[in-house]
Amino acid sequence: MATTANGTITGAQIVDLCRHHTLFEWSAQGTVDPIPMARAKGVYFWTPEGKRYLDFNSQLMCVNIGHGDERVIRAIQDQAATLAYANPFMATEVRGRLAAKLAALAPGDIDVFFFTNGGAEANENAIKIARAYTGRHKILARYRSYHGGTFGAMALTGDPRRWSTEPGMPGVVHVLDPYHGMAGGSDSAGEALARLEEIIQLEGAHTIAAFFLETVSGTNGVLIPPDGYLQGVRELCTTHGILMVCDEVMAGFGRTGEWFAVNHWNVVPDIMTMAKGLTSAYVPLGAVGVRRPIAEYFRDRVFPGGLTYNSHPVGCAAALATLGVYEEDDLIGNARRLGPVLTVLLEDLARRHTCVGAHRNLGLFGIVELVRDARSKAPLAPFGGTSDEMQLLSRTFRELGLYTFTRWHSFFTNPPLCITEAQLREGFALIDSALTTVEKSM
Ligand SMILES: Cc1ncc(COP(=O)(O)O)c(C=O)c1O
C-alpha cells in the first residue's frame, strides 16, 4: 500500500477501507464521502496528507475541551496501566471519585449516578428508572428531539430518525415544543405550557411516568426554551407526579456557558442524562443522574439495569480528568464570555447574507438556518432532505478547511470551548466566504 510522508496509509486508502468494510451512520452507504482524519489538536484536525480543518462542531458536539489534551490522555494511560477494567460489581476509586465530583456539580440533590457507554444507554436506563419509580408506563417526549439510536431512545426521539424503527417501544406520546420553525415562530412559555397541560389531561396524568426533554434541543435546531417554559414544566411535573428528565447529553458540560443548560433557568430535574462532554469523547462514557429520593427507592428494590462496561475505569478516569480541565482552564467561563461574541458574529453574517433566515446561540451552542427567499422564509432544503445549495455549502466548507455539521437547511457553530476569539473569527471568515459562493449559485 502507498503511504504518506508519515508512513501511514493515504487518506484515500483509509476512506476506501472504511467504506468497504464498515457502515456509516444515518446514510445510504453509496453517498458517504468521509474526511480521512489522522490527528487533532486544540480546535484543529488534519488529514494524513496534512490538510488542516478548523473543527467548528467539536466533531459531534462532544469534544468540548478540544482535541489532544495531554492531561486527559495521561489520565487514560495511567488508568489503563493500573486497572484497565473492573466488572461493574466491583468498587473502584475512579468510579467513586467521579460520582462524588458529579454530585457536587449537578443541580440540586441529583447526586447518584449510573454510568453507561453513551447517551442513548443513559436515556434507556432513565426510562426504566422512571417507570420503576412511578409505577406508570407512558413517557412524554418532544417531536423536535433526538435521544439516541437504541430502541427505546429512538422511540423517544421525535425527528425523522425515529421513522425507520417504528412501531417502536409502546407508551411514548410526542408533544410539540415552543418552536414551530422559522416561518411558524415560537409560542410563549404560557402557550406551550397550556398545550402540554392539555395533553397531560387527555393522556391521564396517572399513566405518565416521565417527560423527557433536551434542555436546549441540539440537532433539531439549537432550540432555546423561552424563559419560564422549563420552570413551568417543572411545576406541571411536580403537580402531576411526573418525573422531569432533562437530556443534557449535548447541552451539558459547558456548551451553553453553564455546567448544565438547566442552570440558566434554575431548574432541578428529577433525572438528568449526560454523555459527550462528560469525557469530551476521548473515550465513551455516559451517565444517568437521579435525585436522592429516586436513589433511595432502589435501596430495598432491585435496580433494573446492567452493562458489562458500566463505570468503566478508563471512562471514569477520562471523565475526572476532563472535569479537571474544564475547571483549570475555566472553559465554562470561556463559553459564557464568547457566547455574546458568537451572537454578534451571527448577526453580522445575517446582515451580509440574505440567505440567513434565522440564527440562535446560547454560549457556544449555535445554529444558522438558511432560506431560499428572505421574505417567505422558504428553507434552503426541505424538511428531512437536502438540496444542491446545501451540498455546495458542505463542499465549500470542506474545500476551505472548515468542518461543521450541516443538516437539512441548517449548519451549526459549536466549536470546542477552548476556542479563542481570534479562532472564532477565523471560522466566521470562512463561513462568510462559503455563503457568498452559495448565494452566487442561487
Ligand atoms: C440530546 C442527545 N441525547 C442522546 C444522544 C445519544 O447519545 P449517544 O450517541 O452517545 O448514544 C445524543 C447524540 O447525539 C444527543 O444529542
Side-chain angles (χ1 to χ4, degrees):
M1 271 185 182
T3 57
T4 64
N6 297 331
T8 58
I9 61 173
T10 65
Q13 287 168 327
I14 291 170
V15 169
D16 279 352
L17 273 177
C18 292
R19 289 193 60 195
H20 192 67
H21 290 294
T22 70
L23 290 172
F24 285 83
E25 45 186 81
W26 306 118
S27 310
Q29 301 303 298
T31 65
V32 298
D33 184 18
I35 299 173
M37 193 174 164
R39 65 192 175 87
K41 190 78 185 166
V43 296
Y44 299 103
F45 67 89
W46 288 265
T47 67
E49 284 73 22
K51 179 172 168 71
R52 191 186 80 166
Y53 287 88
L54 174 58
D55 187 349
F56 234 49
N57 199 51
S58 311
Q59 289 303 295
L60 207 47
M61 300 87 162
C62 55
V63 187
N64 290 8
I65 62 166
H67 297 276
D69 192 292
E70 298 293 338
R71 292 161 288 185
V72 180
I73 294 166
R74 221 174 305 119
I76 292 170
Q77 287 170 335
D78 289 350
Q79 186 61 48
T82 312
L83 179 68
Y85 176 71
N87 89 42
F89 299 100
M90 304 289 167
T92 62
E93 182 181 339
V94 272
R95 171 181 176 161
R97 290 209 300 127
L98 173 60
K101 180 74 191 168
L102 282 174
L105 294 174
D109 59 347
I110 294 180
D111 69 354
V112 175
F113 299 86
F114 179 72
F115 293 113
T116 64
N117 293 293
E121 282 180 357
N123 285 323
E124 294 288 342
N125 281 283
I127 294 169
K128 289 195 285 184
I129 292 169
R131 285 181 165 171
Y133 180 72
T134 60
R136 304 173 179 182
H137 73 285
K138 277 187 202 158
I139 310 273
L140 300 182
R142 298 190 298 184
Y143 279 104
R144 289 190 168 86
S145 73
Y146 179 71
H147 294 288
T150 53
F151 206 60
M154 276 274 87
L156 298 180
T157 293
D159 82 18
R161 284 172 280 189
R162 167 176 45 93
W163 299 343
S164 62
T165 52
E166 287 182 314
M169 181 185 76
V172 179
V173 176
H174 284 103
V175 303
L176 287 168
D177 59 71
Y179 188 66
H180 301 297
M182 267 180 306
S186 189
D187 290 339
S188 67
E191 287 162 338
L193 291 166
R195 265 211 317 263
L196 176 62
E197 190 162 25
E198 188 178 353
I199 290 173
I200 291 173
Q201 187 181 54
L202 293 171
E203 288 293 333
H206 63 290
T207 67
I208 304 170
F211 181 24
F212 276 68
L213 65 169
E214 288 177 72
T215 318
V216 173
S217 304
T219 42
N220 279 274
V222 186
L223 304 178
I224 303 158
D227 285 339
Y229 176 74
L230 288 173
Q231 295 94 322
V233 168
R234 176 65 279 179
E235 264 179 54
L236 277 177
C237 285
T238 304
T239 303
H240 296 289
I242 296 167
L243 298 184
M244 180 178 184
V245 184
C246 284
D247 180 334
E248 291 259 349
V249 169
M250 194 179 281
F253 297 102
R255 175 56 54 201
T256 66
E258 289 281 347
W259 274 101
F260 298 101
V262 280
N263 298 4
H264 287 282
W265 296 278
N266 284 320
V267 162
V268 181
D270 297 294
I271 300 179
M272 209 163 73
T273 57
M274 54 197 97
K276 292 190 188 270
L278 174 57
T279 55
S280 278
Y282 279 49
V283 291
L285 192 77
V288 195
V290 300
R291 296 179 76 172
R292 244 313 132 183
I294 300 176
E296 289 300 326
Y297 176 85
F298 294 108
R299 189 165 283 282
D300 305 318
R301 298 174 186 84
V302 173
F303 174 76
L307 297 163
T308 298
Y309 305 123
N310 157 19
S311 305
H312 196 288
V314 176
C316 291
L320 256 181
T322 301
L323 299 179
V325 172
Y326 288 124
E327 287 181 331
E328 214 175 301
D329 296 355
D330 189 25
L331 294 184
I332 317 283
N334 198 44
R336 193 179 309 127
R337 281 186 295 276
L338 286 183
V341 178
L342 176 55
T343 307
V344 169
L345 288 167
L346 288 167
E347 284 166 355
D348 186 44
L349 204 66
R351 262 192 302 274
R352 293 170 56 78
H353 298 281
T354 51
C355 68
V356 172
H359 58 83
R360 292 175 288 284
N361 78 292
L362 185 61
L364 290 176
F365 206 6
I367 191 168
V368 176
E369 294 193 61
L370 298 176
V371 291
R372 190 169 298 287
D373 171 57
R375 209 165 314 144
S376 72
K377 296 226 177 236
L380 198 51
F383 179 80
T386 185
S387 64
D388 289 345
E389 292 85 358
M390 287 306 294
Q391 284 175 10
L392 175 62
L393 181 69
S394 296
R395 278 201 309 279
T396 311
F397 280 156
R398 188 164 167 166
E399 277 162 27
L400 293 172
L402 181 92
Y403 173 72
T404 195
F405 199 64
T406 54
R407 184 175 193 252
W408 307 353
H409 66 291
S410 299
F411 68 89
F412 291 77
T413 58
N414 304 315
L417 311 185
C418 62
I419 196 164
T420 62
E421 184 171 334
Q423 290 166 332
L424 202 57
R425 291 184 185 281
E426 176 189 332
F428 270 82
L430 300 176
I431 291 171
D432 185 50
S433 162
L435 289 185
T436 301
T437 302
V438 169
E439 280 175 337
K440 273 190 196 144
S441 80
M442 282 164 74

